Amino acid sequence: MTIRTQPRKITAAVVSNPHQLHFREMLIKAPRKNEVGVRILACGICHTDLGFMAEGTILGHEGAGIVEQVGSEVTAVKPGDHVVLSYQSCGICPACQQQQPFNCEHFSKLNFGFQRLDGSSAYPEGVQGHFFGQSAFANYCLVTEQNLVKVADDLPLSLLAPLGCGIQTGAGTVFNTLKVQAGDSLMVMGTGTVGLAAIMAAKVAGAKTIIAVDRDPARLALAIKLGATETINSDQESDLTTLCPHLNHVIDTTGIGHLDELGQDVLKEGGTLVRLTGSAGETFTRGRKAISVIQGDSVAQTFIPKLIELWQQGRFPLEKLITYYHFDDINRALQDSRNGKVIKAVLVWD
Ligand SMILES: [Zn+2]
Ligand SMILES: [Zn+2]
C-alpha cells in the first residue's frame, strides 16, 4: 500500500454564524506519525457542540468510522478497522501514565483548544479543527490512539457513535465514580442523554430506587421505561415537597440552582452528589460530598467495549435515545437538539 503524504480533500460542516453551519470542501494535512485518518460514517450531537458555535469552527466529538490511514508509529489500529471516537488526552502526562486520561493535564487544550498538543493544526488557515481531537462534523478527521476505540466490524457504527461522550459520561458516573451497588438508591436530575444513560446504568448495577427528575413528562415516561422506579416533575411543587428519602447518590446534569440544593437535601450522611455540569471542585457539607467529574472517570478503550457488551445483552438499550439525521440536515438536527425535540441526534453520511 502506498502511504499518502499529500493533503486529503475533505467535506466539513463549518460554523458560519452562531446558528448556522455550511459544508465546505478543504484540504487537511496527511496524518503525522502518531495520527490516524478516519473516514467518518456517523457522529452524535452533544450539547457541548452547541456551546462552541464560533465562526470557522468544525465541531463534532462523537464520531465513528473506518480507519483510512495510519502514521508510522500507530500500532492500535490499521486501515479498514472500525473505530468509535472519544475525548482526547495526551498519553504522556502523569495522569495519563496512571491510566486516568480523564484527568489529563492537557485536557482543556486538547479538547477545547482547536489545536494539537504542540499548538499546530492540520486544517487550512481560518478553520478551527481538532475539537476533542476529532472535529467529526465532516467526512474525515485526524485522531490519535488516545481517542479511538477499536470495535468489531459487524457492529452498527451509527448506533455506537454517541458512546464516546454523553452516554459514557452518564454511565461512567454510575459505574466508575459512584460505584453504585445492588440495593442502592439514587436520584438523577435531568433526563437528557447523560441522565438517561445514568438511569440505564443504575438499573444494570441493581439500584433499588432510581428517581428521575425533569420537567418534561415524555422524558420522564421514557426514564421509567429505561429503569427509573419513580419520577418527579420539577415544575410541580407538590412533587418536590413530598420528597424526603435518604439517598446514597444524586447525579445532577442540569446545573439548576434549586435542584442542586434539593439534591444535597435528599442525600443521606456519607452520600455523594455528582455535578455533571462543568463546574469544578469538591465540597463537603454535613457529611455529604459534592464532586464534579469529567467523562464519568471513563477510560474509553475499556469502558466503551463494556457498554457495547451490555447493549448486546439487551441491558443498555441506547437506541431508545437516538434520532438519526442525514449529515445534509445538520442544521435541523442541531436545532432539534437545542430545543429538546430530540434526545440524541446522530448524523450519518450515506
Ligand atoms: Zn460531549
Ligand atoms: Zn495527559
Side-chain angles (χ1 to χ4, degrees):
M1 197 191 85
T2 52
I3 300 291
R4 178 173 44 77
T5 55
Q6 298 304 309
R8 182 199 195 276
K9 190 162 84 176
I10 70 165
T11 301
V14 184
V15 178
S16 51
N17 71 54
H19 295 286
Q20 207 70 26
L21 279 63
H22 281 106
F23 283 98
R24 272 174 56 184
E25 288 193 342
M26 65 185 75
L27 291 173
I28 184 173
K29 288 176 185 155
R32 286 181 168 181
K33 55 190 177 189
N34 68 325
E35 288 179 332
V36 176
V38 177
R39 183 161 66 86
I40 295 296
L41 298 186
C43 186
I45 293 175
C46 173
H47 278 266
T48 306
D49 294 310
L50 302 173
F52 281 86
M53 296 273 284
E55 190 181 339
T57 54
I58 304 173
L59 303 169
H61 61 285
E62 293 183 350
I66 299 175
V67 173
E68 186 178 286
Q69 188 178 1
V70 299
S72 58
E73 288 177 0
V74 172
T75 56
V77 289
K78 58 182 188 314
D81 283 348
H82 290 207
V83 291
V84 170
L85 307 180
S86 188
Y87 66 93
Q88 185 61 295
S89 57
C90 78
I92 49 178
C93 75
C96 284
Q97 289 292 306
Q98 289 161 34
Q99 321 307 325
Q100 297 183 355
F102 40 85
N103 290 329
C104 174
E105 63 184 60
H106 303 292
F107 192 93
S108 183
K109 181 177 188 179
L110 288 172
N111 291 281
F112 309 115
F114 295 95
Q115 59 191 308
R116 295 187 180 107
L117 190 58
D118 68 0
S120 67
S121 171
Y123 292 81
E125 193 73 31
V127 175
Q128 307 286 312
H130 300 290
F131 187 54
F132 276 78
Q134 306 181 28
S135 285
F137 286 169
N139 63 356
Y140 177 91
C141 70
L142 294 177
V143 301
T144 69
E145 289 183 347
Q146 276 74 42
N147 68 327
L148 65 75
V149 182
K150 189 180 162 184
V151 297
D153 293 358
D154 58 351
L155 293 169
L157 284 169
S158 54
L159 178 88
L160 304 187
L163 287 175
C165 185
I167 289 175
Q168 166 171 274
T169 298
T173 300
V174 167
F175 290 132
N176 307 326
T177 310
L178 293 169
K179 299 185 170 61
V180 171
Q181 302 293 309
D184 279 1
S185 53
L186 91 162
M187 183 161 90
V188 177
M189 303 195 285
T191 53
T193 300
V194 176
L196 291 171
I199 287 167
M200 290 193 287
K203 186 183 178 191
V204 170
K208 187 162 162 249
T209 304
I210 305 173
I211 305 171
V213 182
D214 205 293
R215 62 197 304 182
D216 180 341
R219 297 248 175 141
L220 291 175
L222 179 59
I224 291 280
K225 280 195 191 128
L226 296 176
T229 58
E230 297 167 41
T231 61
I232 290 176
N233 189 320
S234 52
D235 271 353
Q236 287 170 18
E237 197 73 31
S238 56
D239 269 14
L240 294 176
T241 47
T242 57
L243 194 77
C244 58
H246 300 287
L247 304 176
N248 302 107
H249 321 281
V250 174
I251 299 173
D252 180 18
T253 72
T254 70
I256 298 169
H258 73 276
L259 288 183
D260 191 274
E261 280 171 35
L262 172 78
Q264 298 189 49
D265 288 346
V266 298
L267 276 178
K268 70 171 166 192
E269 203 168 330
T272 304
L273 165 72
V274 180
R275 298 189 180 111
L276 300 177
T277 55
S279 63
E282 179 170 330
T283 58
F284 208 76
T285 355
R286 294 176 290 133
R288 293 148 181 90
K289 199 162 60 161
I291 58 173
S292 42
V293 300
I294 295 168
Q295 296 284 332
D297 293 330
S298 308
V299 178
Q301 288 76 14
T302 51
F303 193 62
I304 287 176
K306 178 178 168 172
L307 295 180
I308 292 172
E309 202 179 312
L310 288 171
W311 172 75
Q312 288 172 315
Q313 294 166 358
R315 300 166 72 201
F316 198 77
L318 67 130
E319 68 277 3
K320 293 204 163 67
L321 312 187
I322 296 176
T323 305
Y324 292 104
Y325 296 80
H326 192 277
F327 255 99
D328 290 346
D329 296 322
I330 189 167
N331 284 305
R332 187 164 58 87
L334 284 163
Q335 182 61 28
D336 290 352
S337 303
R338 191 181 287 114
N339 63 26
K341 190 174 164 193
V342 298
I343 296 168
K344 172 56 71 180
V346 174
L347 302 160
V348 290
W349 290 106
D350 298 312

